Amino acid sequence: SSRMLDICVDHSGYIHILYCLGEEIYYVTNTVPVPEPEIKVLPQSLDFLERLVGDTTDAKKVIISNVGEADLVITDISLVWRDSVHFSISRSSCSIIAPGDTCSVDVKFNPQILGDKNALLWIASNDPANPTEGVSLIGTGLQGLLWDYGSQVFGEVNLGDSVINEYTLKNEGNTNLVVQGIYLENGAVD
């Protein structure tokens, strides 16, 4: 018969004793271990790449998992930082997550002005070791797109004659487009 004895004191000051007597293992402590929730959030960041100002992306999912041994209670899910107005939570099924279960949060990007945008999806819970989690959100707002519709073929034009071609400029973006000039490239006449 083998004997083993292990004594330790945890960070809260509780004493834990583990010992073996024959084939039996015994555990003694001056406190009962309390099951705790444990949050896991994936991914840690979402990159929405580039989007036209005023246009909205499809939703991207953030998965919140409870890898602990007690119910995980989500107390807050919000968007923070100065660029948070450019992002939105379109759906969240998170409130109480049982051990081993997951929930999801759908996030969209809708830039209101040009440039790089950074925000944080803030998740607060009752996880005692990690009460807050953050998911980095990034994207870039682009200006409207300009398309031209018209023929670039003038055909044969005799010296001294002129040909008129009509072009239509269309703003394919969702914000005002300012045309600051029109010019010809490679406009040399042979």
Side-chain angles (χ1 to χ4, degrees), residues 90-107:
S90 60
R91 188 180 72 84
S92 171
S93 62
C94 303
S95 57
I96 298 175
I97 308 168
D101 280 350
T102 64
C103 72
S104 64
V105 179
D106 290 350
V107 180

Side-chain angles (χ1 to χ4, degrees), residues 78-156:
S78 55
L79 297 165
V80 297
W81 292 356
R82 74 182 158 92
D83 290 333
S84 63
V85 68
H86 304 284
F87 298 87
S88 63
I89 298 170
S90 60
R91 188 180 72 84
S92 171
S93 62
C94 303
S95 57
I96 298 175
I97 308 168
D101 280 350
T102 64
C103 72
S104 64
V105 179
D106 290 350
V107 180
K108 293 182 178 181
F109 177 51
N110 179 4
Q112 303 301 303
I113 58 175
L114 298 176
D116 294 337
K117 308 293 171 240
N118 297 288
L120 188 73
L121 178 68
W122 182 263
I123 303 164
S125 73
N126 68 332
D127 180 339
N130 194 18
T132 59
E133 274 283 339
V135 176
S136 172
L137 307 173
I138 57 175
T140 301
L142 297 179
Q143 66 185 6
L145 297 176
L146 181 65
W147 293 94
D148 64 54
Y149 298 93
S151 171
Q152 296 179 359
V153 178
F154 290 92
E156 228 176 89

Side-chain angles (χ1 to χ4, degrees), residues 37-84:
E38 184 180 344
I39 192 170
K40 181 177 181 183
V41 177
L42 291 174
Q44 291 293 304
S45 67
L46 293 176
D47 188 346
F48 289 92
L49 304 174
E50 297 173 333
R51 199 62 174 194
L52 293 175
V53 168
D55 199 10
T56 302
T57 65
D58 290 335
K60 291 191 176 198
K61 281 196 182 313
V62 173
I63 304 297
I64 302 172
S65 303
N66 180 1
V67 296
E69 298 175 348
D71 284 350
L72 178 68
V73 178
I74 303 300
T75 57
D76 184 33
I77 298 176
S78 55
L79 297 165
V80 297
W81 292 356
R82 74 182 158 92
D83 290 333
S84 63

